[in-house]
Amino acid sequence: MDVKVFAKLVGKSLLKNETVVAFMKCNVSYSGRAESVLGEGDRMIVIKSDNTVLVHQPEGNNPVNYMKPGSEITFEDNILHVFNAKEKAWLDVEMLEVYDVAKKKLEDGQKLDLAGNEKDMSDFLRDNPHKISSDFKPEKREHQTDVGFIDLFGHDGQGNLVVVECKRVTASLMAVDQLRRYVERVKQIKGVENVTGVLAAPGITPNAKEMLSSWGFIFSKVEPPKRLERWQKDQKSLAEF
Amino acid sequence: MDVKVFAKLVGKSLLKNETVVAFMKCNVSYSGRAESVLGEGDRMIVIKSDNTVLVHQPEGNNPVNYMKPGSEITFEDNILHVFNAKEKAWLDVEMLEVYDVAKKKLEDGQKLDLAGNEKDMSDFLRDNPHKISSDFKPEKREHQTDVGFIDLFGHDGQGNLVVVECKRVTASLMAVDQLRRYVERVKQIKGVENVTGVLAAPGITPNAKEMLSSWGFIFSKVEPPKRLERWQKDQKSLAEF
DNA sequence: ATATAGATCTCGTCA
DNA sequence: TGACGAGGTCTATAT
């Protein structure tokens, strides 16, 4: 397809809220929070109806270049200019040959329903405190407070305060850093010393475990729960690997 | 397009290393590290030549669902099954109507050249140590060693060891956590107490600054350098916003 | 394969 | 709007 024809097509499509995808040979350059150049090659360019632009190479999960929603899209000769004032960024696609184009106005009012995130995990632990310890009494599941963004907060049978940090994947050194910071904040704000730190996760790396122990904190092995029960059957068959 | 025709087209395209994109009305379900369902709506489905699968809604930067490279792609009636044994994950796309399809074998041997990342920043500080302090002497830019992944390590005129952590964006509490952990490791391993921690970043959040000070560490305002000098002119015009 | 940390991270949420 | 932390994070690198 002729590049000028493509430019007109994109202009019309954007007015009609269509999403456009094109296969083309191109050079790409970007400047914004960082800078990049990408030499001549074949890519898939996506222009969404919210003026998101994606540049995909033939392999890999992620776009090699992108511009966020709300960008301005213009054409100048064979250059596709994408500009985002808020991000102070621009992307230029030098179009050498447009192979094929497809477009469609997509009607989609649905939102993804996802289960198994960290919130599901701390909800589960609040309702099943024995997973932490036999005498753990949860008090609050909180997000932002003056003591930080603690996942789960409570106390034990001896009156010690307990701070629980949840991770849905193997806990790393950074998770221990985070727990340590929360425990120190609680000690500071509550003016007490007997605060127990608990890291709840399906696993922990060796160095993180060592650091956890050195701070007197406790690891609690907990799997992230899966709320969408209808998938349990399928999960079981997957577990047979 | 008929769904069965689409299935055959995809099968043939994958054999030819083509990338396929389709606009369709569909339901999507996923199970793997988490689980999700997405009700009926119009989406763009991308099947790359490395068997990456992306599901894009008409708005937003990121795919609403995806499967990593190396997945198995099969069809059963009007269901597109994507399965990844390594990830123990599957994705089902119930195809209700295929509106349009485009495909192309993309030839691309190029790699992105990107400037302004954290490595560029620590390289710059090694070559311009006065940006840290007048008497800073860099010794090593190291990645993994026995003292951790320290960005830049050196000493000052008084013989104090200096640990520099670089951040290309505003430094947060987590950056201070990281620096603190590195400084403590250096103290431990070198058996000395006089270790200075420096956080080099274009900015720092108020809480992070307070925590940094409380640990006796120093903030050094440094912008991430832009190595691709050909863009400096454009950067200047962008800076005029 | 695991561990570690960066990323043009993106995204949601809350003060 | 900034701050903070999660993410099906993903990706690169080193062990």
Side-chain angles (χ1 to χ4, degrees):
Chain A
M1 175 187 281
D2 183 76
V3 169
K4 292 205 177 357
V5 174
F6 173 71
K8 282 199 177 156
L9 182 153
V10 171
K12 279 186 199 167
S13 287
L14 289 177
L15 291 174
K16 291 188 280 183
N17 277 318
E18 292 178 338
T19 291
V20 182
V21 57
F23 296 116
M24 63 176 72
K25 181 182 287 185
C26 58
N27 289 292
V28 186
S29 49
Y30 153 78
S31 181
R33 286 182 293 204
E35 298 179 323
S36 73
V37 289
L38 180 65
E40 183 178 319
D42 295 340
R43 281 108 208 186
M44 183 184 75
I45 309 286
V46 178
I47 305 173
K48 290 196 182 189
S49 54
D50 64 348
N51 286 29
T52 297
V53 176
L54 308 173
V55 181
H56 272 278
Q57 291 185 295
E59 300 194 343
N61 220 68
N62 289 343
V64 66
N65 280 114
Y66 59 89
M67 291 287 280
K68 287 188 175 177
S71 299
E72 297 166 36
I73 295 167
T74 53
F75 290 88
E76 184 183 346
D77 301 323
N78 68 330
I79 311 278
L80 161 59
H81 293 290
V82 188
F83 179 73
N84 194 306
K86 195 184 151 206
E87 299 282 327
K88 296 185 184 178
W90 55 258
L91 178 80
D92 277 1
V93 179
E94 185 190 1
M95 301 177 287
L96 303 170
E97 188 180 352
V98 178
Y99 301 116
D100 198 6
V101 181
K103 61 193 165 62
K104 179 75 175 77
K105 180 168 164 61
L106 299 173
E107 309 274 9
D108 188 1
Q110 296 293 315
K111 288 219 165 180
L112 189 74
D113 185 13
L114 191 137
N117 55 15
E118 200 185 83
K119 186 175 176 303
D120 286 335
M121 201 167 159
S122 56
D123 284 342
F124 173 77
L125 288 174
R126 180 195 50 203
D127 301 335
N128 301 271
H130 61 281
K131 293 279 182 183
I132 299 296
S133 75
S134 55
D135 62 345
F136 175 57
K137 306 289 175 201
E139 285 167 31
K140 298 188 232 174
R141 253 203 91 281
E142 41 192 355
H143 291 281
Q144 284 106 323
T145 72
D146 55 352
V147 293
F149 298 27
I150 296 170
D151 289 325
L152 191 57
F153 182 77
H155 60 88
D156 65 14
Q158 285 80 52
N160 301 303
L161 298 179
V162 178
V163 173
V164 182
E165 172 62 26
C166 300
K167 290 292 166 196
R168 61 183 305 287
V169 293
T170 302
S172 66
L173 289 165
M174 280 182 168
V176 183
D177 282 340
Q178 219 179 103
L179 176 62
R180 179 188 181 190
R181 172 152 49 88
Y182 294 159
V183 169
E184 286 177 351
R185 281 193 188 185
V186 170
K187 284 182 180 175
Q188 203 173 37
I189 286 159
K190 303 274 181 178
V192 295
E193 272 303 310
N194 53 330
V195 180
T196 305
V198 178
L199 187 50
I204 185 166
T205 65
N207 287 348
K209 195 178 177 75
E210 193 184 324
M211 189 172 157
L212 195 77
S213 301
S214 81
W215 288 104
F217 300 149
I218 295 158
F219 172 66
S220 176
K221 184 175 163 63
V222 180
E223 297 292 331
K226 304 206 168 172
R227 175 167 43 81
L228 303 175
E229 309 241 339
R230 50 184 288 212
W231 300 115
Q232 285 193 346
K233 176 175 62 69
D234 305 288
Q235 280 307 110
K236 197 153 70 176
S237 64
L238 272 168
E240 290 165 9
F241 270 96
Chain B
M1 176 188 280
D2 182 76
V3 169
K4 293 207 178 357
V5 174
F6 174 71
K8 281 198 179 159
L9 182 152
V10 170
K12 278 187 199 166
S13 287
L14 289 177
L15 290 174
K16 290 188 282 185
N17 278 318
E18 292 178 338
T19 291
V20 181
V21 57
F23 296 116
M24 64 175 72
K25 181 182 289 186
C26 57
N27 289 292
V28 185
S29 49
Y30 154 80
S31 182
R33 285 186 293 207
E35 299 177 323
S36 73
V37 289
L38 180 66
E40 184 178 317
D42 296 341
R43 281 109 207 185
M44 183 184 75
I45 310 286
V46 179
I47 304 173
K48 289 197 182 188
S49 54
D50 64 348
N51 286 29
T52 297
V53 175
L54 308 173
V55 180
H56 272 278
Q57 290 187 293
E59 301 195 341
N61 222 66
N62 290 344
V64 66
N65 279 114
Y66 59 88
M67 291 288 279
K68 287 188 175 176
S71 299
E72 297 166 36
I73 295 167
T74 54
F75 289 89
E76 183 184 345
D77 301 324
N78 67 330
I79 311 280
L80 161 59
H81 293 289
V82 188
F83 179 73
N84 194 305
K86 195 183 151 205
E87 300 281 327
K88 295 185 184 178
W90 55 258
L91 178 80
D92 277 0
V93 179
E94 186 190 1
M95 301 178 288
L96 303 170
E97 188 180 353
V98 177
Y99 302 116
D100 199 6
V101 181
K103 60 193 164 63
K104 179 77 175 75
K105 179 168 164 60
L106 298 173
E107 309 273 8
D108 188 1
Q110 296 293 316
K111 288 218 166 182
L112 189 75
D113 184 13
L114 191 139
N117 55 16
E118 200 185 84
K119 186 176 177 301
D120 286 334
M121 201 166 158
S122 56
D123 284 343
F124 172 78
L125 288 174
R126 179 196 52 201
D127 300 336
N128 300 272
H130 62 279
K131 293 280 182 181
I132 298 298
S133 76
S134 55
D135 61 346
F136 174 56
K137 306 289 176 201
E139 286 167 29
K140 299 187 230 174
R141 253 201 91 281
E142 38 192 357
H143 291 280
Q144 283 105 325
T145 73
D146 55 352
V147 294
F149 297 29
I150 296 171
D151 289 326
L152 191 58
F153 183 77
H155 60 90
D156 65 16
Q158 285 79 53
N160 300 305
L161 298 178
V162 178
V163 173
V164 181
E165 171 63 26
C166 301
K167 291 291 165 195
R168 61 182 305 288
V169 292
T170 304
S172 66
L173 289 166
M174 279 184 169
V176 183
D177 282 340
Q178 219 179 102
L179 176 62
R180 178 187 181 190
R181 172 153 49 87
Y182 295 158
V183 169
E184 285 177 351
R185 281 195 189 184
V186 170
K187 283 183 181 175
Q188 202 174 36
I189 285 159
K190 304 272 181 179
V192 295
E193 271 303 309
N194 53 329
V195 180
T196 304
V198 177
L199 186 52
I204 186 167
T205 64
N207 287 347
K209 195 179 178 77
E210 193 184 323
M211 189 172 157
L212 194 77
S213 303
S214 80
W215 288 103
F217 300 149
I218 296 158
F219 172 68
S220 176
K221 185 175 162 62
V222 180
E223 299 290 332
K226 306 218 165 164
R227 176 169 42 79
L228 305 175
E229 309 236 342
R230 50 185 289 211
W231 301 115
Q232 284 194 346
K233 177 174 62 69
D234 305 287
Q235 280 308 112
K236 195 152 71 175
S237 63
L238 273 168
E240 289 165 9
F241 272 97

